[in-house]
Amino acid sequence: VSVVRINGKSAVLIDTIAVTAPVDAVSVAPDGKRALFTMRTINTVGMLHISGGTVTFSEDENIPVGIEPYNVAISPKGDIAIVSNAGVTGGNDGNADPVCVIDMTAAHPHIIDWITVGDGPEGFAFSPSGDMAVSVLINGSQNAAGNPTQHGRQTRTARSQFSRSTAKKSEK
């Protein structure tokens, strides 16, 4: 993981942190003290601790998540994070795939809920208030016409309301 200090329009590499496996996505907590990152090849989310210009990592804090974690985001409130899991084939296979909800308020963040959102969740974003997230689904859109997993060329969106205690899903 490369650590970059940004000052206005300039950016300088200040450190490189060795982690367990290749990194696919990263999200920094709103308070700037922690960051989560996905390691898709080992189905895990890692955590970085940030203090000033110092960033540290410990494998002991890795969080096992679903198969092929593709993306991660920490809510604007900093209380939860969501991780999209693309599944055994990396999504786009016609099977429903989940996002997991991580409790970021715990001493050791951990999964508190799973929400099945549909085929191949990739990108997503939290609302500014942090009480809703939108997950964009591949939904077979990369497959050729006639493939049984191809559901048209439109990407479906699953809108989910997340909290540390409940999760509700609606689909469009």
Side-chain angles (χ1 to χ4, degrees):
V1 173
S2 297
V3 180
V4 177
R5 175 172 287 127
I6 300 170
N7 186 6
K9 293 183 179 182
S10 67
V12 178
L13 178 68
I14 60 170
D15 201 358
T16 302
I17 309 299
V19 296
T20 314
V23 174
D24 300 291
V26 65
S27 181
V28 178
D31 66 6
K33 294 179 180 178
R34 294 188 291 186
L36 295 180
F37 59 94
T38 60
M39 295 179 281
R40 187 171 40 93
T41 59
I42 61 169
N43 305 320
T44 300
V45 167
M47 185 166 44
L48 300 172
H49 290 274
I50 305 165
S51 179
T54 303
V55 178
T56 58
F57 165 72
S58 171
E59 280 188 6
D60 294 340
E61 294 182 309
N62 282 351
I63 305 166
V65 293
I67 299 171
E68 296 260 345
Y70 187 83
N71 209 341
V72 61
I74 300 172
S75 78
K77 295 177 186 177
D79 58 342
I80 62 170
I82 54 175
V83 178
S84 62
N85 297 285
V88 175
T89 63
N92 211 27
D93 58 5
N95 293 306
D97 297 306
V99 296
C100 59
V101 181
I102 296 174
D103 180 355
M104 294 295 293
T105 66
H108 180 79
H110 59 279
I111 296 171
I112 57 170
D113 205 354
W114 291 91
I115 302 165
T116 302
V117 293
D119 185 18
E122 280 193 339
F124 50 76
F126 274 100
S127 65
S129 63
D131 62 352
M132 184 176 71
V134 177
S135 177
V136 178
L137 307 175
I138 298 172
N139 200 34
S141 62
Q142 296 173 332
N143 296 331
N147 183 309
T149 65
Q150 207 278 347
H151 304 291
R153 290 285 176 210
Q154 295 182 345
T155 301
R156 284 185 5 199
T157 302
R159 293 177 304 166
S160 299
Q161 266 193 299
F162 298 96
S163 73
R164 289 187 328 112
S165 60
T166 62
K168 299 175 185 172
K169 178 190 154 226
S170 67
E171 235 177 60
K172 259 188 163 177

